[in-house]
Amino acid sequence: MNSALPDPVTPPSFRLYGVGVTSRLLLGTALYPSPKVMTDSVKAAGAGIVTVSVRRESARANSGRGFFELIRSLNVRVMPNTAGCRTPREAIATAHMARELFGTDWVKLEVIGNDDTLQPDLFGLLEAARALISDGFKVFPYTTEDLIAAERLREAGCEVLMPWAAPIGTGRGLANPYALRSLRTYFPDTPLIIDAGIGAPSHAAAAMEMGFDAVLLNTAVARAADPVRMAGAFAAAIEAGRTAFEAGLMEMRDTATPSTPVAGTPFFGLDKS
Amino acid sequence: MLTVFVNGEATVTSAATLAELVAQFGFPETGVATALNGDFVPRGAREATRLVGDDKVEIVSPRQGG
């Protein structure tokens, strides 16, 4: 890089429940081919926040401790999820268990309403969010692009919203860009993190160009042929998308306009044949 | 002896409390979190939580997540 040039990238900076966050890429820790690939991917992504979960422990495996030590060694903030919970009651109990284990009041709240689409149950989500917020949790709700659900979640005390791009693990990208754009417009001051359904760096860049604050990924990196390189590709795309948003994209037009000046075009007006 | 369900599996135990059950399984006290019949039981409350037959106990630990 030419050091005489100013750094073109504004250092990203936003706040989640009052905590300053530098990286706009949040990364999941599941589905990697090995623990080493997972930790290398987190580093390559430059992620400052990773998602984790709680699962039934087996007396034989005792696998939780090793995993948590690995995560601690990364020196990143953890966001436990309530993945797989189908009722507010399950999600609330899981969030409490996660808070005790991980020592954080952050929770990525998932209440799943449908096994095929893994679509959030927005009614259960709101109920669980209210209960957890009254218990002192900082709730990051995994929601859809629904504006009214977003409003209710904000009223309940969710300071951050995490709308899906597409169903978890599909990699389909922004399935409903119009609705996501509306969400961004209606909630200009609420941190909005696109969570789930991102498959390619271009999807993440598109979300960032729309002005979303961050992207949460897992499968797209973990299931890449080379997860560590893919983590780097996502980091670059997210930075590019954010910079583009801050720089201000041109308006799209229906008609062509020449970019090269028309005045002074050689041979102008000579073609009379 | 009681039969309780630990992480979905029927288990015969002599443990009288949730704390004893966790210890009998060899789980580190601070490495797991617990729920009883669907409700969270904080670490500090396990000792005072008595088990009865057919209780459903969840014992969880940190794991990978998305």
Side-chain angles (χ1 to χ4, degrees), chain A residues 28-30 51-59 63-65 67-68 81 89 93 96-97 100-102 108 218, chain B residues 7-8 25 27-28 30-35 37-40 42-43 46 58-66:
Chain A
T29 56
T51 52
V52 293
S53 75
V54 302
R55 283 296 178 260
R56 286 172 165 175
E57 181 59 290
S58 136
S63 40
R65 178 145 292 189
F67 170 70
F68 196 20
N81 68 29
R89 191 168 179 225
H96 278 277
M97 291 193 286
E100 187 177 86
L101 279 174
F102 291 105
K108 172 184 159 178
N218 193 155
Chain B
N7 290 342
F25 269 81
F27 293 128
T30 57
V32 294
T34 51
N37 299 323
D39 292 322
F40 171 60
R43 191 177 298 141
R46 289 179 204 155
E58 296 289 332
I59 304 178
V60 303
S61 69
R63 211 59 52 87
Q64 296 84 353

Side-chain angles (χ1 to χ4, degrees), chain A:
Chain A
M1 179 183 267
N2 186 340
S3 59
L5 292 172
D7 183 351
V9 178
T10 308
S13 170
F14 66 118
R15 299 186 87 75
L16 299 173
Y17 285 99
V19 174
V21 176
T22 50
S23 172
R24 295 181 183 274
L25 171 48
L26 291 71
L27 199 59
T29 56
L31 301 175
Y32 293 84
S34 73
K36 166 119 174 68
V37 172
M38 185 271 285
T39 53
D40 285 352
S41 297
V42 172
K43 290 172 193 162
I49 299 167
V50 299
T51 52
V52 293
S53 75
V54 302
R55 283 296 178 260
R56 286 172 165 175
E57 181 59 290
S58 136
R60 290 170 295 279
N62 198 9
S63 40
R65 178 145 292 189
F67 170 70
F68 196 20
E69 281 168 8
L70 195 64
I71 292 295
R72 275 195 178 130
S73 74
L74 288 168
N75 202 23
V76 292
R77 185 174 282 272
V78 297
M79 185 191 291
N81 68 29
T82 62
C85 291
R86 292 188 179 84
T87 65
R89 191 168 179 225
E90 287 176 9
I92 290 163
T94 301
H96 278 277
M97 291 193 286
R99 178 163 71 176
E100 187 177 86
L101 279 174
F102 291 105
T104 176
D105 51 14
W106 282 22
V107 63
K108 172 184 159 178
L109 182 60
E110 295 183 40
V111 181
I112 299 300
N114 182 291
D115 285 343
D116 292 325
T117 61
L118 300 180
Q119 180 155 358
D121 169 358
L122 299 177
F123 308 94
L125 180 67
L126 182 60
E127 184 184 332
R130 284 183 176 136
L132 289 170
I133 287 164
S134 73
D135 279 330
F137 282 86
K138 310 282 194 298
V139 174
F140 295 73
Y142 166 59
T143 185
T144 68
E145 62 276 55
D146 189 277
L147 290 176
I148 308 306
E151 246 171 54
R152 297 289 178 271
L153 289 164
R154 286 291 289 117
E155 287 163 8
C158 294
E159 293 184 17
V160 181
L161 301 175
M162 302 214 295
W164 66 355
I168 297 169
T170 60
R172 297 183 63 83
L174 310 181
N176 194 344
Y178 166 73
L180 288 172
R181 212 180 285 279
S182 296
L183 191 66
R184 179 70 284 181
T185 305
Y186 276 91
F187 296 92
D189 302 320
T190 301
L192 298 177
I193 301 171
I194 294 287
D195 176 11
I198 296 288
S202 54
H203 302 154
M208 298 307 294
E209 286 169 8
M210 281 184 190
F212 284 92
D213 294 275
V215 171
L216 200 172
L217 295 169
N218 193 155
T219 312
V221 169
R223 288 292 196 233
D226 184 339
V228 180
R229 291 192 73 192
M230 188 59 81
F234 268 104
I238 286 166
E239 190 172 280
R242 178 65 195 183
T243 306
F245 170 72
E246 290 176 0
L249 291 153
M250 67 168 279
E251 293 280 332
M252 202 183 285
R253 305 169 57 107
D254 286 333
T255 53
T257 51
S259 47
T260 303
V262 173
T265 304
F267 315 113
F268 184 79
L270 295 183
D271 183 10
K272 299 293 187 197
S273 56

